[in-house]
Amino acid sequence: MIIEAGRHFTLHAPGSPEDTLAFVRDPARALSRLHFLRGLNVQGNEVRGELLVPLPVLGEADLPFLCILAHTPDGATLTPQPIDGERAWVEVTGQAQVMEGAQAAQGGETRVEVAFNFLFRAHLATPDAQGWGGAAFEKMVRAAAGRTLERVTQELPEGLREALEAG
């Protein structure tokens, strides 16, 4: 079963374009205030962690993720990598683009902004849906995981804003 949710948003950056660029290229700093992540680990260009997903009857599931960080001229990207040997895992795709000057002008004021674009795609292996009970269970898991991913995408801007303002 695959469930996905995405979010695109723009945040005002309080620092200089250079400081903001350094921020989006440092996932340990940028993702530090996201409460739905656990075990965030950055080694070189690899970013690993776990997305916490509450599932009915099963309790809380830790969905591991692995991404490759790449710098772009105006930001950074996260490209998901498959994880073998896991019954459940999540792909995290992300892009951050730092904008300044005319691109980010608002009301005649020049400012620095960051455009973020994220997609979360959860891969969940559930037991074969045998009969009515199995189908109902799969439907419950799908609904709960879908709600969780939607909640994650709703909380994402605030967590990134907190980290951005903390410097």
Side-chain angles (χ1 to χ4, degrees):
M1 164 183 340
I2 297 176
I3 300 158
E4 64 181 47
R7 183 84 190 261
H8 178 78
F9 56 95
T10 302
L11 298 176
H12 171 68
S16 70
E18 295 79 18
D19 291 343
T20 306
L21 192 58
F23 172 82
V24 300
R25 291 178 174 174
D26 183 354
R29 212 168 98 201
L31 304 176
S32 66
R33 303 285 176 111
L34 299 176
H35 304 292
F36 52 81
L37 293 183
R38 179 167 46 201
L40 186 64
N41 185 7
V42 180
Q43 291 186 348
N45 67 343
E46 281 192 358
V47 181
R48 294 177 179 270
E50 297 174 340
L51 181 72
L52 305 177
V53 179
L55 297 173
V57 182
L58 301 176
E60 195 170 77
D62 301 339
L63 301 182
F65 66 88
L66 170 61
C67 302
I68 300 298
L69 173 72
H71 295 182
T72 62
D74 58 357
T77 62
L78 290 174
T79 303
Q81 302 299 300
I83 299 178
D84 295 326
E86 292 285 345
R87 290 180 44 92
W89 59 284
V90 67
E91 294 178 31
V92 178
T93 303
Q95 180 180 15
Q97 179 184 16
V98 177
M99 301 177 295
E100 62 174 312
Q103 288 179 312
Q106 186 171 351
E109 173 186 318
T110 301
R111 51 195 277 176
V112 178
E113 293 183 337
V114 186
F116 291 98
N117 192 19
F118 283 93
L119 177 65
F120 297 89
R121 180 176 290 136
H123 297 257
L124 305 173
T126 57
D128 289 336
Q130 305 263 333
W132 186 87
F137 176 74
E138 185 175 315
K139 188 175 181 179
M140 262 187 356
V141 169
R142 180 177 295 280
R147 281 191 307 273
T148 298
L149 287 184
E150 285 299 322
R151 178 184 52 81
V152 162
T153 61
Q154 295 302 313
E155 292 177 10
L156 194 56
E158 188 57 33
L160 288 170
R161 179 185 341 271
E162 286 177 18
L164 189 58
E165 290 174 356

